[in-house]
DNA sequence: TTTTGAGTTAAACGTATGTTTCAAACAGTT
DNA sequence: AACTGTTTGAAACATACGTTTAACTCAAAA
């Protein structure tokens, strides 16, 4: 089946280039050249560049979504009436994230970068797309966070939740550059797992501040 | 002096449009139309679009840089041998930031968005520009943070510092959207000062985790 | 064998972009 | 009032982009 190969090659190439340069800065021609595919193939298989961006995103979103949902479903069945701690929640999410992007750091990078762009791009199509696909999962996680932090003012909880999201999106999407700086300044290498290991306690402490 | 007016009008228009749409998505024509200025004026006064972006950035960077430096200089002279707490440091920076963007929320937004893009844009000119202009201030603040958290592992401190930066950059650059969501979900309005008021304790607690 | 239809290709289309040009208008100086 | 260097204006330039078209390939169905 050559059509599946073409679609996959386009997605792979787009993924790598998006992660490396951004979306507006990546042309269809650079994608199709890298994928060794004809220019028209993108519009034939995806319809438009916007649709391609969303398709790249969906490749993570789908599995990630299912994995988190499955973890939470499983937990609710095996241990109902147990209130999850912030650490537990973060662990579920982080585990799904690393499982989905397993073996390919750029997958995590592009996922986070897309997330950041979706929030920043004022009139962007990404924001609506993301909201549409993510909404129910977002609400479910937020409900768990609410249970884990019952004393927190709702407004403050909302913002702290997004502070967490921001930490993750920013640092994980520019992880490569930051790792280069760290190696340059401290002459110590560090891995993706190290960073996540640093991140989770930071987030948990932040949301429990005061 | 009509030339200053033209330059200022271009900077104002560019600032607003960049904050609202992003950089690649904002054309010179939309900027000059909004500024009510001839298209060629941008290239005449700034040389190129890249230079315009940097000029917009410099308009904050300069005053912000000077304000923070002045605060720190003043503190060192009036109260030497006093170790600043994390809260103190954050307060200095936050104060300079709000002072520089006084009366115009979009100034904070674009500043933070630029910061985010500078870190994310792999081969971007912004990153080098920012590093060149910011380096000494960055080091100085980092040195203070180090004194404020003497027990922290250097590697972990580096990452936690950037977790803080990420929280701020992400939430403040998409503050408008987030505020709309908060008003929609909780039917409570909140101000820019509220958000910063929520942010600082979150950051302080995060960097002191464990 | 012929037909069909999805997949691929090269070329072109229309548009939007950043940039350049060069003549006209202007402000300040002599 | 004439000159000079700077700023503006309308137009054009060259290029890059996303998208579309129409001819072609080729394997599987009829």
């Amino acid at each position: 089946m050559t059509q599946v190969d073409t679609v996959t090659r386009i997605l792979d190439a787009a993924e790598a280039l998006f992660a490396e340069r951004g979306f507006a800065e990546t042309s269809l021609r650079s994608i199709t050249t890298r994928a060794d595919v004809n220019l028209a193939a993108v519009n034939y298989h995806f319809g438009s560049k916007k649709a391609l961006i969303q398709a790249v995103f969906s490749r993570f979103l789908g599995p990630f979504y299912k994995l988190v949902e499955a973890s939470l479903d499983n937990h609710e069945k095996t241990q109902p009436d147990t209130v999850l701690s912030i650490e537990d929640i973060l662990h579920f999410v982080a585990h799904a994230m690393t499982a989905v992007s397993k073996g390919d750091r750029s997958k995590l990078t592009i996922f986070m970068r897309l997330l950041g762009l979706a929030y920043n791009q004022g009139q962007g199509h990404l924001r609506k797309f993301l909201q549409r696909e993510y909404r129910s999962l977002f609400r479910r996680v937020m409900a768990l966070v609410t249970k884990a932090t019952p004393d927190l003012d709702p407004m403050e909880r909302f913002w702290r939740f997004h502070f967490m999201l921001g930490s993750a999106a920013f640092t994980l999407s520019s992880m490569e550059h930051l790792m280069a700086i760290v190696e340059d300044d401290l002459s110590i290498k560090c891995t993706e797992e190290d960073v996540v290991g640093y991140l989770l306690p930071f987030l948990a402490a932040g949301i429990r501040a005061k």
Side-chain angles (χ1 to χ4, degrees), chain A:
Chain A
M1 293 190 209
T2 84
Q3 89 224 47
V4 172
D5 268 13
T6 297
V7 167
T8 305
R9 287 220 304 282
I10 291 174
L11 285 172
D12 289 341
E15 185 180 295
L17 289 172
F18 286 158
E20 170 178 316
R21 304 180 197 174
F23 303 99
E25 295 81 2
T26 301
S27 68
L28 291 185
R29 281 169 176 83
S30 68
I31 293 170
T32 53
T33 298
R34 177 168 179 144
D36 200 27
V37 146
N38 189 270
L39 169 61
V42 169
N43 285 282
Y44 177 77
H45 287 289
F46 296 93
S48 70
K49 189 184 180 181
K50 283 185 182 180
L52 171 61
I53 294 177
Q54 294 179 358
V56 169
F57 208 1
S58 290
R59 262 224 289 200
F60 306 99
L61 200 64
F64 171 73
Y65 191 104
K66 281 178 186 168
L67 224 70
V68 175
E69 289 261 303
S71 296
L72 296 182
D73 287 344
N74 178 61
H75 171 84
E76 278 185 6
K77 280 182 184 168
T78 58
Q79 305 178 17
D81 308 323
T82 311
V83 176
L84 289 174
S85 71
I86 286 290
E87 280 82 359
D88 293 331
I89 301 170
L90 290 175
H91 240 92
F92 275 122
V93 174
H95 179 266
M97 197 128 255
T98 56
V100 163
S101 62
K102 191 170 215 167
D104 194 348
R105 175 187 307 159
S106 80
K107 302 216 177 203
L108 208 117
T109 294
I110 189 181
F111 187 87
M112 287 300 180
R113 183 159 306 176
L114 264 159
L115 209 67
L117 285 180
Y119 270 87
N120 281 329
Q121 205 125 340
Q123 27 118 35
H125 62 106
L126 268 178
R127 194 134 148 272
K128 285 151 199 161
F129 172 78
L130 197 62
Q131 239 165 11
R132 185 159 21 95
E133 308 285 310
Y134 247 138
R135 202 166 194 76
S136 75
L137 181 60
F138 178 88
R139 287 195 197 284
R140 188 170 178 183
V141 173
M142 197 57 176
L144 291 174
V145 172
T146 302
K147 278 189 184 171
T149 58
D151 298 333
L152 211 52
D153 171 65
M155 172 86 92
E156 190 150 20
R157 178 162 45 230
F158 172 89
W159 284 102
R160 287 190 182 179
F161 184 88
H162 284 89
F163 296 153
M164 296 200 310
L165 218 152
S167 284
F170 180 89
T171 48
L172 298 185
S173 75
S174 51
M175 192 158 47
E176 214 158 351
H177 304 314
L178 293 175
M179 279 167 138
I181 296 176
V182 111
E183 197 178 337
D184 216 55
D185 283 13
L186 307 176
S187 10
I188 321 174
K189 285 186 187 178
C190 78
T191 70
E192 191 182 326
E193 286 79 26
D194 292 337
V195 179
V196 176
Y198 293 142
L199 179 58
L200 299 193
F202 176 90
L203 300 181
I207 209 168
R208 278 207 273 258
K210 267 193 189 175

